[in-house]
Amino acid sequence: MLVVDDERIVAEDLSELLIELGYDVVGIAADAERAVELARAESPDLVFMDIVLRGERDGISAAAQLREELGVPCVFASAYSDADVVERATEANPAGYLIKPFDKAGLRALTSVAVKKVRAERELERALAEQADQLDSVRAQLVEAQKMEAVGTLTGGIAHDFNNMLLPIIGYAQLIEDGLAEREADAELRAFAGEIRSAAGAAAGLTRQLLAFSRRQVLRRQVRDVHEVVGGTVPMLDRVLGEGVCLQVELMGGEAPCLIDAAQLEQALVNLAVNARDALDGNGAITIRSRRLAASEAGALGLGGDAEADWFCLSLEDDGPGIPEEMAARVFEPFFSTKGNMGTGLGLAVVHGIVTQHDGEITVGEREGGGARFDIYLPLVVQGGEAEPAERERGEASGREGYKILVIEDEPQVRMFVARALGNQGYHVATAYDLASARQQLDRVEGGAGGREFDLIFSDCVLPDGNGAEFLREELQRRPWQKAILTTGYTEREALERTADEHQVAFLQKPYPLPQLFETISNTLREGDGYAVSI
């Protein structure tokens, strides 16, 4: 408490009463300037302020300054009780008004109420400040999410267009290479064609990373034991990490069945391991661990999905210098790198995209004892039998003369290449550049004017006048026996999921090599055993 009164005896009497009531008195002042000075220095919870003070300023002016500048409330203790003074005093928003002379009981009652009021106000202020901080945090997260979404949309669109350009480059290079296979004199030209195909394949790998980051990569997910996938990746990691880095693998006992795209999970592991290797500067240890999380523990960590489902955690940690806290919050941002000009800033962003697309989560933290740790959380699959095999048994790809295929593709170069490649294999090919022209051809065939029906519809997903997946879904509802294949550089997950749920539709990710195109079409026509769309 701080007591402000121009009468020293009154001030000391009031101080003694407050001390008897159990309060601490931090000082006594006789004028406004001294009162403000003491309040700044001592930060009292409450000030007992006389209205008439020494000097030019009165207590009402001082009380208003204390409330506005320091947030310190005042109780006026004055002999003045006329309406004008009281009205002026209320403008300072006092915690109470005490009329002199006052007794100990009255002081106790008013002080108790004033202190409770002050504490309630401060608690409310703290709560409002916390809410404001939370609101600022949520707003910052929203801005970051919108930025990530915008960058993801941009990179996904670029990757889609790039894939359309790469497909005919890879395909025509393959045709040249195959055409020169039996001509010994053209061996050098055949090697050149192979180099073109190899370079375009490397570019296709970059687009896959962009699609993974933007979460527009179409995954071929199967129930697999993650431990088996990790075990298969270790030899490659040993080669990538080099002799100076010791790789240790400590996996929990039993299987870890999760719905995954094994190739994408391997890519995520490689990216994390390379990031750790660079942090170690070529010397140190990297450890891969796994553990099972009960549903209650997963819920406590805020993991989404089924509240009763268990989760699986795959951790990769290193004993390097670790990641500074200010950088840890940004490591998954695209094009943000902790390596300066040495890094592209895509490696961890790709990992984040892959894990998120698997309905999982990834966190970064500090390893016990120093270093960095990345935790990948994936929902476990409850199953009665064993995990599905990684690959289906497939027959040799071969063209089937007489089969009739409708190719729906809006990119002229891609459409021309696919039609020519399939024609060389003996297929009868018709083409459409959009859904309207495709419907016209299907209607003509159905009406008997366009010859026999198509054995297969091979459609791009993103078309000028609609979505190829939605189009196939409608067509297969009309003709359930129709064979179909979807292809795209990227796609909207919802449309593919609906089509895949209702019909077993094969899928090809652009850019695809010719052998894969021929194999998928042959298997779909013969058995309907193409890669089913699974996201």
Side-chain angles (χ1 to χ4, degrees):
M1 302 292 177
L2 174 64
V3 176
V4 185
D5 199 297
D6 61 335
E7 295 288 342
R8 184 70 183 184
I9 295 176
V10 175
E12 290 178 351
D13 288 344
L14 178 55
S15 297
E16 289 177 3
L17 286 174
L18 290 171
I19 292 172
E20 289 178 14
L21 293 174
Y23 299 104
D24 292 329
V25 177
V26 297
I28 295 175
D31 58 70
E33 285 68 24
R34 179 58 179 165
V36 173
E37 182 182 343
L38 281 173
R40 287 173 179 163
E42 302 295 340
S43 301
D45 296 311
L46 197 62
V47 177
F48 282 83
M49 180 79 70
D50 192 6
I51 291 180
V52 178
L53 301 175
R54 296 176 187 174
E56 297 180 357
R57 297 177 60 191
D58 63 9
I60 296 176
S61 171
Q65 181 181 355
L66 292 177
R67 170 70 85 168
E68 181 178 353
E69 183 180 320
L70 304 177
V72 176
C74 294
V75 171
F76 287 116
S78 175
Y80 294 95
S81 60
D82 58 281
D84 291 340
V85 173
V86 173
E87 185 176 352
R88 278 190 61 226
T90 57
E91 295 176 1
N93 191 19
Y97 200 103
L98 195 61
I99 302 296
K100 296 177 181 178
F102 45 79
D103 57 19
K104 187 175 180 179
L107 178 63
R108 178 189 291 111
L110 186 142
T111 304
S112 177
V113 171
V115 168
K116 289 180 180 178
K117 179 182 177 182
V118 169
R119 289 174 177 171
E121 288 178 352
R122 291 183 176 172
E123 186 63 33
L124 178 60
E125 289 174 358
R126 279 195 295 270
L128 291 175
E130 289 178 1
Q131 289 183 355
D133 290 342
Q134 291 175 359
L135 183 60
D136 289 341
S137 176
V138 171
R139 187 181 291 112
Q141 292 176 21
L142 176 60
V143 170
E144 185 66 20
Q146 290 173 336
K147 182 177 72 174
M148 293 282 284
E149 181 65 24
V151 175
T153 301
L154 174 63
T155 54
I158 292 173
H160 168 261
D161 294 342
F162 200 46
N163 275 337
N164 275 332
M165 290 186 285
L166 286 174
L167 197 153
I169 294 173
I170 295 173
Y172 281 125
Q174 180 72 62
L175 289 176
I176 293 172
E177 199 173 358
D178 292 345
L180 297 173
E182 298 180 359
R183 298 168 57 178
E184 186 175 345
D186 296 323
E188 187 176 17
L189 290 178
R190 184 170 184 266
F192 290 161
E195 290 298 323
I196 293 173
R197 184 166 56 83
S198 176
L206 176 61
T207 65
R208 282 193 293 272
Q209 290 193 54
L210 291 173
L211 288 170
F213 152 66
S214 63
R215 305 175 206 170
R216 295 174 184 268
Q217 177 90 318
V218 179
L219 303 182
R220 298 188 179 102
R221 293 202 287 178
Q222 297 172 316
V223 178
R224 295 287 305 278
D225 179 6
V226 178
H227 289 160
E228 177 187 339
V229 176
V230 172
T233 312
V234 167
M236 177 170 56
L237 293 179
D238 282 331
R239 292 191 299 271
V240 169
L241 296 177
E243 295 181 358
V245 177
C246 175
L247 177 63
Q248 303 173 26
V249 180
E250 302 172 5
L251 303 179
M252 69 177 192
E255 294 185 344
C258 296
L259 188 61
I260 60 171
D261 183 320
Q264 290 298 307
L265 185 59
E266 289 173 358
Q267 178 70 60
L269 273 175
V270 170
N271 284 16
L272 289 175
V274 169
N275 185 76
R277 177 202 65 189
D278 294 343
L280 294 170
D281 198 20
N283 289 282
I286 295 175
T287 304
I288 298 175
R289 293 188 172 92
S290 71
R291 64 188 180 96
R292 188 185 189 104
L293 282 75
S296 57
E297 185 180 358
L301 291 174
L303 301 177
D306 187 351
E308 299 182 357
D310 290 350
W311 283 65
F312 172 77
C313 178
L314 185 66
S315 301
L316 186 144
E317 57 187 44
D318 63 70
D319 61 356
I323 301 175
E325 185 176 351
E326 63 274 13
M327 288 187 177
R330 301 187 59 195
V331 293
F332 298 120
E333 289 184 13
F335 312 116
F336 176 79
S337 175
T338 60
K339 309 170 190 175
N341 296 328
M342 298 297 293
T344 64
L346 272 179
L348 295 180
V350 167
V351 175
H352 185 271
I354 290 173
V355 174
T356 303
Q357 203 173 2
H358 278 81
D359 304 317
E361 296 188 24
I362 181 170
T363 61
V364 58
E366 184 178 355
R367 169 184 171 270
E368 185 176 352
R373 188 187 75 252
F374 289 85
D375 292 326
I376 295 175
Y377 297 96
L378 297 172
L380 285 166
V381 175
V382 179
Q383 56 179 12
E386 296 183 354
E388 295 180 13
E391 300 287 342
R392 295 185 177 95
E393 292 297 327
R394 297 181 178 275
E396 292 295 324
S398 62
R400 298 292 184 88
E401 293 189 7
Y403 280 117
K404 188 175 181 182
I405 300 175
L406 174 61
V407 175
I408 310 173
E409 171 62 60
D410 61 321
E411 289 292 334
Q413 290 182 323
V414 177
R415 185 171 64 249
M416 185 185 304
F417 161 70
V418 173
R420 180 173 295 174
L422 294 180
N424 290 345
Q425 291 291 305
Y427 295 108
H428 297 292
V429 182
T431 62
Y433 59 88
D434 60 10
L435 297 180
S437 58
R439 287 191 180 95
Q440 290 177 359
Q441 296 200 48
L442 289 169
D443 290 343
R444 283 202 303 272
V445 168
E446 194 171 354
R452 65 184 180 81
E453 293 187 349
F454 291 102
D455 298 291
L456 177 72
I457 300 175
F458 184 66
S459 176
D460 190 18
C461 191
V462 180
L463 294 162
D465 55 348
N467 186 287
E470 294 284 1
F471 169 75
L472 285 184
R473 189 166 65 91
E474 295 170 3
E475 289 300 316
L476 294 176
Q477 286 175 344
R478 293 172 52 198
R479 294 188 292 272
W481 59 86
Q482 178 71 67
K483 301 290 181 64
I485 299 174
L486 268 173
T487 181
T488 188
Y490 73 86
T491 191
E492 294 298 329
R493 294 178 61 181
E494 291 81 2
L496 279 177
E497 284 173 343
R498 286 195 295 271
T499 306
D501 288 343
E502 298 173 22
H503 311 280
Q504 286 299 313
V505 177
F507 176 78
L508 272 176
Q509 175 78 48
K510 292 180 181 177
Y512 42 78
L514 278 177
Q516 186 182 4
L517 170 66
F518 298 151
E519 180 185 16
T520 303
I521 287 179
S522 177
N523 287 335
T524 302
L525 287 170
R526 183 174 62 251
E527 303 169 358
D529 191 32
Y531 284 113
V533 175
S534 176
I535 301 179

